[in-house]
Amino acid sequence: MNGDTELRCLTRILWLQLCFLTLTSSLVVSHEVHIVYMGNHHAHLQPHEKTDIHRRMVTEALGSEEACEKAIIYHYMHMFSGFAARLSTEQADAMSKMQGVVSVFKSGTASLHTTRSWEFLGLDKPGGPPSPNSLWGKTNFGNDVIIGVLDTGIWPEHESFHDYDLGPVPERWKGTCESGEEFDQSMCNKKIIGARYFPGGFELAVGPIDQFAVDDFRSPRDRDGHGTHVASTAAGRFVPLANVNGLGNGTAKGGAPNARIAVYKCCWAIDGLFGVTCTDADMLAAFDTGVADGVDVFSVSLGPSSPQPFFQTAISIGAFHATIAGRVVAVSAGNSGPQLGTVVNSDPWSINVASSSIDRVYGSTVTLGNGYSFLGGSITVPDDSLNMDLPIVFGADIVAEGANVTGASFCLPGALDPVKTQGKVVLCLQGYIHRNEKSAEVKRAGAVALVIPNFDAGGIDLYADNFILPTITVAEVDSNPLLDYVSPLQPRPTSDPPPTIRISCSTTIDGVKPAPYINAFSSVGPNIIAPAVLKPDISAPGLNIIAAWPGATPPSSLPSSIDKRTSKWNVLSGTSMSCPHVAGVAALLKALHPTWSPAAIKSAIMTTALTVDNTGSELRNSSGFPGGPLSYGAGNLNPEAAADPGLIYQSNLDDYKVFLCSNGYNQTERQLITGLFYDCPVSLGNPSDLNLPSVMIPEIEEGQPQIVKRTVTNVGPSMCRYTVSVIEPPGIKMTISPSELFFQRENEAVDFTIQFERVSAVPAGVQEFVHGSFTWSDGAHKVTSPVVVAANFL
Ligand SMILES: *[C@@H]1O[C@H](CO)[C@@H](O)[C@H](O)[C@H]1NC(C)=O
Ligand SMILES: *[C@@H]1O[C@H](CO)[C@@H](O)[C@H](O)[C@H]1NC(C)=O
Ligand SMILES: *[C@@H]1O[C@H](CO)[C@@H](O)[C@H](O)[C@H]1NC(C)=O
Ligand SMILES: *[C@@H]1O[C@H](CO)[C@@H](O)[C@H](O)[C@H]1NC(C)=O
């Protein structure tokens, strides 16, 4: 059927259905942004033909062209066919029954989830230019690869984005530089080659951009700071003398310093810079446009607050179609750890990134009046005036009139009594509001410093945010002794001297051990959306990362009326900071191997990851336990090894189609996900058969062995022989067959199977999830896959 016939046909069918629509719609007042997803239905049509169809559908649904113009926010026409429009529930419902419509769902929201990290990862070697054999040397720092950043926009004047010495914009680039508030086309250059903004879904769901406490820019310009920080971590240029308050002084740079940046602003600041919202409608528009523009690698440090089914979130839908179109997508795992089952963005096609530490701490030595001493996190302007015995009080003991003890314990706005706070150091509990917002209250009440203990499974993480006043964050082990001393449960004898604290100047401490370890906040598997897929995939630096910051945003992210400082650099923590580390490395791999698929790049990154720390022990979590692949996936990012993985695990559209069948998705759901109507193969295989570089067995019964298939493709030299070595999970017998693989040619693919068998003798103390690994090696390469089995031993 050609386009014209289909158009006419569709129109006729629409007429019939729309009589019903117009009748019911007049009764309805509320109109919410819905995404009408039509999958591959119009794959043979040109983009403008798709938009014509969308307009007809909505015009007829709403009764007039005028109403249609107002209702449609975006057309999705590149990756698939669909649109975002304001519809009542009834209109949305009726539209979901129209021909060609795969699904209609409400546009939900997501939220935002950074010098030494590249040295720590081994990419940046001190002392001169990189060697010609290094990943930077071989790729000219990722020259010409295009990284699309979906985030809060960019501060284009920042030195990290200068284009000195860069070649012309790659010819295949089709994007543009959109002007808007305080942003014009001259602000793009050979580094920032495109910049767009997507306010439509946000403005309808939340309200006009200029109406909020934070005056965000109606343009690609970044008010919040998150987008600028993330973009510079992935692809910032070399800028010497970068530091925060004089600490961490060194040369700032991104993972792919010569890659090009394409900005897609789809997240907007609302009420304070901690309140940033991204709507599905806007994120999907960003993906759709980015694919058409020619983005090679997407960096997406955003996610829903809890795990969501793949095809109700724009990130999974966008990532699916981008992957099928050959683009790599890196996403953040989320900051809801260490509880199990918290990982978000957990589809099998994107690269999901957890957060790890580097071997650097910004800290101060803290000494209490009773002699107890510990290292606290801090990146304050070096200031010797705190290095003396100062009075310290717990917020709960200095409650303002009209406030309550809970509010004062957590230092919520207005809860502290200035008279009792003046000149003291205040201890506030972690929770309810961001650490930086507590510092504003403590400063308002006249304190000289803030101390924040962490009782909430925080482990050894020491945050060093750029607070508005000197602030110390405290590791979990030191938190009880601290609080017991400052505010004991039994009243202190009046003969005892009041509690005091001494805080030394902040310093930069390098070579810290153990490192890396997985941060407490980093979201953890298992994957509750797709239990046969291990998530996260990889870990990368996300604690106290220094990167670029906008010129008009205070580094504390507090309102400028409260914090008048500006800073070219800022220090942030979160899986948001980890994700662009992987995007940067993916860009380098794309430069080195232009023909590699997204799955191949993901495989190279995963199979070469490090699973030991700088003390030689297995990667641990922030509490010192081996967290296993549920916390770090394949391990910590290891860029130079990823350049030459030896073997790769490929997967493509056909594999994802079969995966959906074997994982029990029905016809309707499969179509929701792929946009395709297809039948499943007769023989389905194991749900864990998708050819990923990891293996997750979501359940196993005694006496019922399971066989999982994998295929490896040789990307190393021809004529080679690989042998396997296995580390079995406790209580599980693993048999790999064959145990030797021969490759005569490059790109030759060879199959093998892994049999899992639960053995009856269960070792004592074994937990529900047990892990192991298997490694293929030809002597030169080591291709390692993590294995996790949910065995329900308990
Ligand atoms: C950073 O280091 C350089 C030398 O490497 C020095 O000249 C400069 O003063 C330092 N800046 C700060 C703020 O410490
Ligand atoms: C305590 O104060 C906070 C605001 O500081 C308020 O949100 C909370 O409801 C109060 N709790 C009680 C029990 O009054
Ligand atoms: C570390 O792992 C242990 C054991 O799995 C777990 O109980 C704990 O909550 C984890 N702690 C952190 C901070 O990740
Ligand atoms: C497919 O599964 C969904 C639940 O996710 C269910 O609502 C629907 O009825 C199922 N469709 C068929 C054809 O079984």
Side-chain angles (χ1 to χ4, degrees):
M1 189 159 33
N2 69 31
D4 271 345
T5 328
E6 170 153 343
L7 254 176
R8 278 198 303 276
C9 236
L10 185 64
T11 313
R12 238 193 12 251
I13 293 162
L14 284 177
W15 262 119
L16 294 174
Q17 296 182 338
L18 290 170
C19 303
F20 161 70
L21 254 185
T22 13
L23 278 178
T24 51
S25 63
S26 58
L27 303 172
V28 179
V29 278
S30 89
H31 288 76
E32 282 185 273
V33 179
H34 286 80
I35 292 168
V36 178
Y37 177 58
M38 305 178 73
N40 270 18
H41 196 65
H42 302 128
H44 54 292
L45 300 183
Q46 294 297 313
H48 73 270
E49 296 174 305
K50 295 182 194 170
T51 61
D52 284 349
I53 295 178
H54 305 157
R55 282 208 193 86
R56 271 166 219 245
M57 289 171 69
V58 178
T59 300
E60 299 186 23
L62 302 186
S64 77
E65 270 180 34
E66 224 182 328
C68 165
E69 289 308 316
K70 282 195 197 143
I72 295 191
I73 307 163
Y74 299 112
H75 295 278
Y76 307 120
M77 50 200 163
H78 305 294
M79 304 190 299
F80 52 81
S81 179
F83 53 90
R86 293 159 72 190
L87 300 170
S88 69
T89 311
E90 282 75 6
Q91 289 165 342
D93 210 38
M95 215 151 222
S96 70
K97 298 187 182 87
M98 290 183 190
Q99 196 210 6
V101 174
V102 173
S103 72
V104 179
F105 57 93
K106 263 190 214 161
S107 170
T109 60
S111 47
L112 307 172
H113 275 237
T114 255
T115 43
R116 182 174 173 82
S117 53
W118 294 113
E119 280 107 304
F120 183 62
L121 296 177
L123 203 49
D124 190 14
K125 305 248 179 4
S131 98
N133 292 326
S134 68
L135 189 47
W136 272 355
K138 282 187 285 195
T139 65
N140 186 15
F141 303 97
N143 192 34
D144 283 5
V145 178
I146 301 165
I147 303 182
V149 182
L150 272 58
D151 214 293
T152 60
I154 202 152
W155 194 261
E157 293 82 4
H158 198 282
E159 288 158 272
S160 291
F161 309 124
H162 75 74
D163 67 354
Y164 175 73
D165 243 8
L166 281 180
V169 170
E171 270 177 28
R172 64 206 157 80
W173 176 244
K174 296 200 190 67
T176 101
C177 190
E178 290 181 350
S179 47
E181 188 181 352
E182 296 191 32
F183 200 98
D184 63 55
Q185 297 189 349
S186 71
M187 288 167 186
C188 291
N189 57 14
K190 290 181 285 179
K191 180 66 183 177
I192 301 174
I193 61 170
R196 299 179 184 264
Y197 58 110
F198 302 89
F202 175 88
E203 292 202 304
L204 285 166
V206 188
I209 282 155
D210 52 13
Q211 156 202 291
F212 297 98
V214 175
D215 187 17
D216 204 336
F217 302 100
R218 207 170 194 293
S219 75
R221 184 174 290 278
D222 184 11
R223 168 68 78 188
D224 181 80
H226 190 269
T228 300
H229 200 277
V230 164
S232 66
T233 301
R237 305 210 67 195
F238 289 89
V239 183
L241 309 184
N243 65 78
V244 170
N245 299 329
L247 279 81
N249 189 18
T251 298
K253 74 281 252 161
N258 285 1
R260 316 307 172 102
I261 295 172
V263 178
Y264 297 89
K265 180 171 177 179
C266 52
C267 299
W268 302 88
I270 322 178
D271 169 35
L273 293 170
F274 303 103
V276 170
T277 292
C278 336
T279 67
D280 278 327
D282 296 343
M283 292 187 288
L284 205 47
F287 267 116
D288 190 49
T289 319
V291 167
D293 286 351
V295 166
D296 298 307
V297 176
F298 285 93
S299 187
V300 187
S301 288
L302 319 168
S305 53
S306 59
Q308 302 291 330
F310 302 155
F311 276 76
Q312 284 172 25
T313 69
I315 299 176
S316 290
I317 300 176
F320 178 83
H321 291 279
T323 304
I324 297 307
R327 323 306 166 87
V328 182
V329 183
V331 296
S332 45
N335 301 332
S336 306
Q339 284 74 29
L340 292 178
T342 44
V343 65
V344 300
N345 298 327
S346 52
D347 56 74
W349 29 90
S350 51
I351 313 179
N352 185 294
V353 192
S355 176
S356 61
S357 69
I358 58 173
D359 66 340
R360 170 177 278 186
V361 166
Y362 303 105
S364 290
T365 303
V366 174
T367 312
L368 303 178
N370 63 358
Y372 190 86
S373 182
F374 60 90
L375 181 72
S378 140
I379 197 161
T380 302
V381 181
D383 171 7
D384 233 7
S385 73
L386 300 176
N387 203 354
M388 60 177 75
D389 292 334
L390 296 165
I392 178 168
V393 289
F394 180 26
D397 298 329
I398 47 170
V399 187
E401 226 181 282
N404 60 45
V405 173
T406 308
S409 305
F410 291 91
C411 300
L412 305 185
L416 302 180
D417 180 347
V419 175
K420 297 180 185 153
T421 308
Q422 199 64 36
K424 295 188 176 130
V425 176
V426 177
L427 184 158
C428 306
L429 301 182
Q430 169 136 328
Y432 291 105
I433 54 175
H434 194 271
R435 301 181 287 278
N436 272 303
E437 295 174 284
K438 296 175 193 284
S439 72
E441 168 60 9
V442 170
K443 185 169 180 6
R444 180 199 66 83
V448 294
L450 163 65
V451 176
I452 308 178
N454 188 349
F455 297 99
D456 188 21
I460 56 174
D461 290 350
L462 293 178
Y463 299 103
D465 310 58
N466 196 350
F467 290 98
I468 190 173
L469 87 171
T471 298
I472 300 290
T473 61
V474 184
E476 201 178 341
V477 290
D478 298 314
S479 292
N480 271 315
L482 170 70
L483 186 61
D484 281 350
Y485 168 67
V486 175
S487 187
L489 284 176
Q490 302 299 327
R492 187 188 302 277
T494 45
S495 57
D496 278 11
T500 60
I501 187 170
R502 204 163 68 226
I503 301 168
S504 76
C505 286
S506 300
T507 56
T508 307
I509 307 162
D510 288 337
V512 172
K513 291 181 179 175
Y517 66 84
I518 306 304
N519 303 120
F521 58 78
S522 187
S523 288
V524 181
N527 184 344
I528 64 172
I529 300 299
V533 176
L534 179 66
K535 290 283 160 171
D537 292 309
I538 187 90
S539 70
L543 182 67
N544 300 328
I545 302 299
I546 293 184
W549 198 247
T553 305
S556 63
S557 292
L558 293 167
S560 315
S561 56
I562 298 175
D563 188 354
K564 301 200 163 30
R565 300 172 302 160
T566 57
S567 177
K568 284 202 293 187
W569 307 99
N570 203 5
V571 55
L572 299 183
S573 297
T575 54
S576 283
M577 283 67 243
S578 313
C579 172
H581 278 90
V582 169
V585 170
L588 297 176
L589 297 180
K590 185 77 193 170
L592 189 61
H593 306 288
T595 59
W596 279 15
S597 68
I601 289 175
K602 173 175 170 175
S603 176
I605 287 175
M606 287 177 65
T607 59
T608 56
L610 285 174
T611 53
V612 292
D613 63 24
N614 60 4
T615 70
S617 104
E618 181 184 350
L619 279 187
R620 283 171 275 189
N621 73 16
S622 177
S623 311
F625 290 93
L630 291 184
S631 67
Y632 55 70
N636 209 52
L637 181 62
N638 186 13
E640 293 290 350
D644 180 21
L647 305 176
I648 52 169
Y649 293 83
Q650 280 285 16
S651 41
N652 58 24
L653 176 59
D654 288 337
D655 301 312
Y656 298 132
K657 282 161 74 177
V658 174
F659 161 83
L660 294 170
C661 290
S662 64
N663 280 263
Y665 292 83
N666 68 30
Q667 180 76 262
T668 320
E669 294 168 312
R670 294 198 304 275
Q671 203 185 355
L672 289 184
I673 295 172
T674 60
L676 300 168
F677 186 88
Y678 66 92
D679 291 321
C680 287
V682 181
S683 138
L684 283 179
N686 190 294
S688 305
D689 273 348
L690 180 61
N691 201 37
L692 294 168
S694 59
V695 181
M696 176 83 202
I697 305 291
E699 60 182 335
I700 190 163
E701 302 296 334
E702 232 180 292
Q704 293 175 19
Q706 290 187 34
I707 292 178
V708 172
K709 289 189 215 157
R710 285 293 183 271
T711 304
V712 275
T713 304
N714 179 25
V715 293
S718 49
M719 299 304 285
C720 53
R721 169 178 159 264
Y722 278 83
T723 55
V724 79
S725 58
V726 174
I727 300 176
E728 292 177 332
I732 302 291
K733 184 169 160 33
M734 259 172 79
T735 314
I736 297 193
S737 170
S739 60
E740 275 190 351
L741 304 177
F742 298 92
F743 298 88
Q744 281 168 352
R745 301 173 280 107
E746 233 185 281
N747 292 319
E748 185 177 348
V750 175
D751 299 339
F752 65 93
T753 61
I754 316 159
Q755 175 169 304
F756 292 88
E757 197 172 350
R758 191 171 158 172
V759 291
S760 46
V762 176
V766 166
Q767 303 189 348
E768 183 182 355
F769 296 97
V770 290
H771 68 271
S773 65
F774 60 93
T775 301
W776 290 105
S777 181
D778 63 348
H781 303 95
K782 279 191 160 168
V783 190
T784 303
S785 291
V787 169
V788 175
V789 181
N792 287 314
F793 287 123
L794 300 179

